[in-house]
Amino acid sequence: MEEFELIRKITPKYYRQPSVVKGVGDDAFVFRSSEDIVFTTDTMVEEVHFSRKTMDTHAVGYRALAANVSDLAAMGSRPAFYSVSLVLTPDWTDEEILALYDGMEQLAEKHSMDLVGGDTVSGSQTVVAITAHGYLPPDKGRYRSDAKDGDVIFVTGTLGDSRGGLEELMNPGESVSGHLIDRHRYPEPKAEFAAGLTSLSRLCLNDISDGIASEANEIATASGVRLHLQKEKVPVSEELSNRYPDQAGEWALSGGEDFELLGTVAPGEKEALLEKARELDIRLTFIGTVSASDLPEVLLHSPQGTETLQPTGYTHLKERRKRL
């Protein structure tokens, strides 16, 4: 379809956010705010970050926006808007393009987000690039650099499921796990949970997109501390453990794309954290502690001993491993 026909089809009938002054249909997006504003951008390339062989375009759209919503969650912000830039190869059908936007809308509706603009061009490789915007109460940003000596470390949900879902899709057996495939195609970013923690005086957060091994090291480096993780406390789903007993532990540490949250909090504020998790029916697990250190690092403790946990998850621009 022509670009203006696509714009007509995807233009929202109304906007959920009252701060929108001008949305889709002009040269730029206009909004008003008295709060801090958060921006994030994420880019997905076909046959690198996704494949239409393993997921339909509805799931591609949902997952592309989920990566952005998870980044906003890691900052403690409330998601509000998103814009979409597409490079599409000629083999995309009108139905596939509209399904891509429908997938985004499915997640956007859950978080009261509005589509406010974007661009679409043709090219030799499909690229889906989304910029998302969120709001923060003043001085309530949650940063990787905020971990302190004595903090406890927590994680939401279970880890490794998305990697298990990818395995199910790439190497299907006689039966497949719908749970793991759904966790790969339709992750649930924890934005409402993170935005609801404004009562906490200090909170360090990072979203688990590349793998907890990578994200924990990012916190250690940014905060200048040592993180101690208890391997046996890292939460793994029963489904993943049963289907992949030999790989579940490794995938929980470095599988990535679970879009859960890793964070640290002062011991005195654990209960407030748990109360919000119970309110939203979110699994929350405490998996370690933080200590002062001249050498930022992550130590992984297990009955077999202690090892330094290297950032073994996906490394952008450095690895050629596909993330489909």
Side-chain angles (χ1 to χ4, degrees):
M1 72 185 82
E2 296 294 331
E3 181 181 13
F4 290 108
E5 175 67 7
L6 175 60
I7 292 171
R8 187 184 68 79
K9 287 182 176 293
I10 66 173
T11 298
K13 293 181 173 61
Y14 62 93
Y15 291 102
R16 301 179 178 102
Q17 296 289 331
S19 54
V20 174
V21 178
K22 186 64 178 179
V24 176
D26 220 304
D27 290 307
F29 158 56
V30 182
F31 69 105
R32 297 190 180 104
S33 177
S34 59
E35 296 182 276
D36 291 348
I37 301 165
V38 182
F39 290 80
T40 184
T41 299
D42 203 83
T43 302
M44 293 174 61
V45 180
E46 187 167 14
E47 300 304 335
V48 177
H49 303 94
F50 71 91
S51 172
R52 282 180 282 167
K53 301 181 185 73
T54 60
M55 64 176 73
D56 60 27
T57 60
H58 184 279
V60 171
Y62 180 103
R63 198 159 168 265
L65 183 57
N68 286 264
V69 173
S70 190
D71 282 338
L72 293 176
M75 305 303 289
S77 72
R78 305 188 316 276
F81 316 111
Y82 67 104
S83 55
V84 183
S85 291
L86 300 177
V87 181
L88 297 177
T89 52
D91 61 321
W92 276 67
T93 66
D94 291 355
E95 290 74 17
E96 285 180 314
I97 296 170
L98 293 176
L100 182 82
Y101 280 96
D102 286 343
M104 297 178 198
E105 171 60 17
Q106 179 177 320
L107 183 63
E109 184 178 14
K110 293 181 181 179
H111 296 281
S112 296
M113 298 182 76
D114 289 317
L115 173 64
V116 293
D119 194 20
T120 305
V121 298
S122 60
S124 60
Q125 188 170 17
T126 295
V127 178
V128 181
I130 298 178
T131 297
H133 318 230
Y135 291 126
L136 270 176
D139 302 319
K140 283 295 182 179
R142 306 308 191 180
Y143 307 127
R144 298 173 185 175
S145 57
D146 282 343
K148 303 292 184 184
D149 178 29
D151 279 2
V152 291
I153 304 169
F154 66 89
V155 67
T156 62
T158 56
L159 305 183
D161 289 338
S162 178
R163 178 62 182 83
L166 175 61
E167 190 70 19
E168 297 279 308
L169 291 166
M170 298 295 288
N171 300 292
E174 293 183 2
S175 64
V176 295
S177 168
H179 169 75
L180 295 180
I181 289 174
D182 281 348
R183 288 274 286 148
H184 178 69
R185 288 176 170 169
Y186 294 98
E188 294 288 345
K190 300 301 185 290
E192 183 180 4
F193 171 69
L197 299 173
T198 54
S199 64
L200 274 63
S201 59
R202 177 180 54 81
L203 179 65
C204 170
L205 288 178
N206 200 357
D207 85 306
I208 302 174
S209 54
D210 298 323
I212 192 175
S214 178
E215 270 74 55
N217 273 280
E218 289 175 347
I219 289 175
T221 300
S223 296
V225 295
R226 178 180 290 126
L227 270 62
H228 300 265
L229 302 183
Q230 302 298 324
K231 187 175 183 179
E232 293 189 328
K233 292 184 179 180
V234 175
V236 177
S237 70
E238 185 176 347
E239 184 83 357
L240 185 67
S241 296
N242 289 342
R243 293 185 72 86
Y244 300 99
D246 296 331
Q247 298 95 342
E250 177 190 347
W251 290 349
L253 294 173
S254 58
E257 296 189 320
D258 289 305
F259 299 118
E260 297 290 348
L261 290 174
L262 171 70
T264 81
V265 68
E269 297 196 297
K270 281 177 61 175
E271 187 52 44
L273 194 72
L274 286 166
E275 183 179 348
K276 177 55 67 172
R278 287 192 291 265
E279 177 188 326
L280 297 177
D281 195 25
I282 289 174
R283 178 171 176 172
L284 190 76
T285 308
F286 292 99
I287 62 172
T289 57
V290 178
S291 68
S293 175
D294 293 331
L295 175 65
E297 63 179 348
V298 180
L299 298 181
L300 186 65
H301 304 278
S302 71
Q304 289 71 44
T306 298
E307 61 182 295
T308 301
L309 184 62
Q310 300 295 336
T312 53
Y314 183 84
T315 304
H316 298 272
L317 301 182
K318 191 173 181 180
E319 297 184 29
R320 294 186 180 273
R321 177 168 69 86
K322 291 184 178 181
R323 308 175 69 189
L324 305 179

